[in-house]
Amino acid sequence: TLKKEVLASDYIQIDESTIPVMDKDHPGSTRKGYHWIVKSPMQNQLFFHYQNGSRAQKVVVELLHSFQGAVQSDAYGAYDIYENKKGVLLLGCMAHGRRKFEVALKDDPDRAKHALKIIRDLYAIEREAKDLELSPDAIKQLRQEKSYPILKDFEKWLLENHSAVLPKSLIGKAISYTYNIYPRLARYVLDGRYNIDNNGAENGVRSLALGRKNFMFCGNNEAAERTAIIYSLMGTCKLAGVNPMEWLT
């Protein structure tokens, strides 16, 4: 039911994260499995999906086979199929682009600082909208007035610098990464409900990271599937401001 409710939304965020699973073919060792995390920002619900530990594109294709609406993700190639799927709008994550330029600071500080300043300005507009508690329509208008001109200038800057840096340099990789998915990164201005980044889904991954430090691994695929159910319930509790332990009790 939780999965159906989240996928009934017309705007979801999605991410993946690793979970070690015991390898039955190699006793005493683990293999890298993957949980997919899908969140509905508007309903403030999420669920975890585990399918034999696979991160293959076929998993997300099957998972979202009937979904219609906006899908927000990082630049993992499995999501590229949604760039041209009818009824689906693919959104990017500005936070991922920002991280690339942060890494590039030691390589080309002038260009990296310029890009980071632009991204900070875009996030400042998002904070303004949040502080003013604007409606989605008002947020869209604010973005059209303030964010859109910045995004146009940023795209022009990326194009101008794309051929001016070494492709394999840190700044070259940051510019290429951002430029290649720029339409996805800029589409958040189309609807005041959309977020500038995919941090909503990424935050759901934190419980997995904590779990990896505590229980260390799952005994088999069935155990990993059960963790997906538990994380789904507890994660949605946390989003709703409900104490997970009290709810489970």
Side-chain angles (χ1 to χ4, degrees):
T1 301
L2 182 58
K3 176 181 174 182
K4 289 180 179 178
E5 288 182 3
V6 171
L7 294 180
S9 168
D10 65 351
Y11 169 37
I12 58 172
Q13 297 174 316
I14 187 167
D15 197 17
E16 336 84 43
S17 186
T18 61
I19 183 167
V21 181
M22 289 293 290
D23 191 339
K24 64 180 181 180
D25 296 324
H26 300 87
S29 64
T30 61
R31 62 180 176 82
K32 186 184 293 184
Y34 282 90
H35 272 128
W36 299 74
I37 301 91
V38 185
K39 180 185 178 183
S40 166
M42 304 310 299
Q43 295 169 298
N44 214 25
Q45 293 178 316
L46 59 74
F47 70 89
F48 287 70
H49 179 75
Y50 183 90
Q51 190 168 318
N52 296 320
S54 176
R55 196 193 183 205
Q57 186 182 62
K58 64 180 181 181
V59 177
V60 72
V61 169
E62 180 180 328
L63 182 63
L64 306 183
H65 71 280
S66 60
F67 177 80
Q68 296 283 286
V71 175
Q72 189 162 34
S73 70
D74 59 21
Y76 175 40
Y79 304 114
D80 290 349
I81 189 172
Y82 296 108
E83 189 66 74
N84 299 306
K85 184 177 179 181
K86 185 177 180 180
V88 177
L89 180 70
L90 187 58
L91 307 176
C93 176
M94 192 68 73
H96 275 76
R98 180 176 58 194
R99 291 170 201 163
K100 301 289 185 182
F101 285 108
E102 288 172 346
V103 172
L105 279 169
K106 58 186 176 183
D107 177 35
D108 190 329
D110 290 340
R111 286 189 174 93
K113 286 180 180 178
H114 180 79
L116 289 170
K117 168 65 167 57
I118 292 173
I119 295 172
R120 280 198 302 272
D121 290 344
L122 291 170
Y123 271 89
I125 296 168
E126 297 305 299
R127 286 194 298 274
E128 178 184 350
K130 184 176 181 180
D131 291 343
L132 294 174
E133 299 181 350
L134 299 180
S135 67
D137 287 341
I139 293 173
K140 178 180 178 180
Q141 182 176 349
L142 178 68
R143 288 171 173 171
Q144 293 289 336
E145 294 174 357
K146 293 187 175 182
S147 303
Y148 184 65
I150 296 174
L151 287 165
K152 284 185 66 177
D153 289 341
F154 193 20
E155 183 177 25
K156 182 180 178 181
W157 180 86
L158 290 167
L159 178 60
E160 292 172 348
N161 286 272
H162 190 266
S163 58
V165 296
L166 295 174
K168 293 186 178 181
S169 65
L170 293 176
I171 190 65
K173 291 178 180 178
I175 291 175
S176 293
Y177 174 91
T178 308
Y179 182 71
N180 289 338
I181 62 167
Y182 199 73
R184 304 182 196 177
L185 295 176
R187 288 175 186 146
Y188 76 95
V189 301
L190 297 174
D191 192 317
R193 300 175 305 154
Y194 300 159
N195 290 299
I196 190 174
D197 55 41
N198 198 37
N199 286 348
E202 289 193 7
N203 289 339
V205 172
R206 291 178 181 175
S207 56
L208 281 177
L210 183 62
R212 287 195 294 265
K213 292 181 179 179
N214 287 281
F215 57 73
M216 299 181 68
F217 58 83
C218 291
N220 49 43
N221 279 328
E222 289 74 19
E225 289 176 7
R226 287 193 287 272
T227 65
I229 296 171
I230 294 170
Y231 278 133
S232 298
L233 297 174
M234 296 182 71
T236 296
C237 278
K238 291 178 71 175
L239 289 175
V242 174
N243 184 310
M245 282 303 297
E246 291 182 3
W247 185 84
L248 287 170
T249 301

